Amino acid sequence: MKVLVTYYSQTGNTEKIARAIYEALSCEKAIVPLSEATDLQGYDTIFIGYPVQAHSVPVPAQNLIRRLPRGQRIAFFATHGSLRGGHLPRQAHEHAASLSATAKILGHFGARGKVPESYLEALAEKPEHQAWVEEARGAHGHPNEADLEDARNFARRMEMEFKKNI
């Protein structure tokens, strides 16, 4: 069993979640930033992480998802300023799934992550974003230890899932 954990992280939030996932896996594994994930062959499962941006998957993650080998087993994880389980992170996971039509998606995980204040200030000037900005300010201090433990539990569940499907 060989697993790759790869991630795109601009603020460090997604990298923290990626490292928690990596630590929890008991199989042969590798962890690399998405920009270094050039050879995707030979992995039984790939965990792909990204920050939710504008309710979507950032372009670097989109590009990696599009070049996944046919039939590749994958698990998505993301960080976002929205509340867990909200419709905005769900939209991003749905977008990721639509990009990976030839892959087998085992699951997805989302955790809150602190949004840079400069970004929040810019959006707060637009009335249509004010409600989300207030919600995102609540993500200060995330990902926290509880989020990291949830990520570890997600990794363990995914590992059990892909072991029974081999």
Side-chain angles (χ1 to χ4, degrees), residues 37-150:
T38 54
D39 184 8
L40 302 176
Q41 298 294 326
Y43 291 100
D44 297 300
T45 301
I46 301 174
F47 285 82
I48 302 169
Y50 52 86
V52 173
Q53 296 177 337
H55 327 302
S56 192
V57 179
V59 172
Q62 288 182 36
N63 292 340
L64 180 123
I65 294 166
R66 285 187 179 112
R67 63 184 183 86
L68 289 169
R70 179 174 287 284
Q72 178 67 59
R73 288 184 304 196
I74 56 175
F76 293 118
F77 62 97
T79 56
H80 50 80
S82 300
L83 294 172
R84 266 187 166 180
H87 72 282
L88 300 178
R90 237 184 357 261
Q91 284 177 338
H93 285 306
E94 290 168 3
H95 182 216
S98 74
L99 297 170
S100 56
T102 66
K104 180 177 181 186
I105 302 169
L106 300 177
H108 58 85
F109 172 78
R112 295 188 86 185
K114 180 182 177 188
V115 179
E117 190 59 35
S118 60
Y119 186 67
L120 294 175
E121 288 172 6
L123 284 176
E125 294 177 11
K126 300 176 182 178
E128 66 271 23
H129 296 299
Q130 287 177 352
W132 182 82
V133 167
E134 289 309 309
E135 182 177 309
R137 282 198 167 110
H140 182 77
H142 289 269
N144 60 24
E145 187 51 44
D147 298 320
L148 298 177
E149 187 56 31
D150 288 346

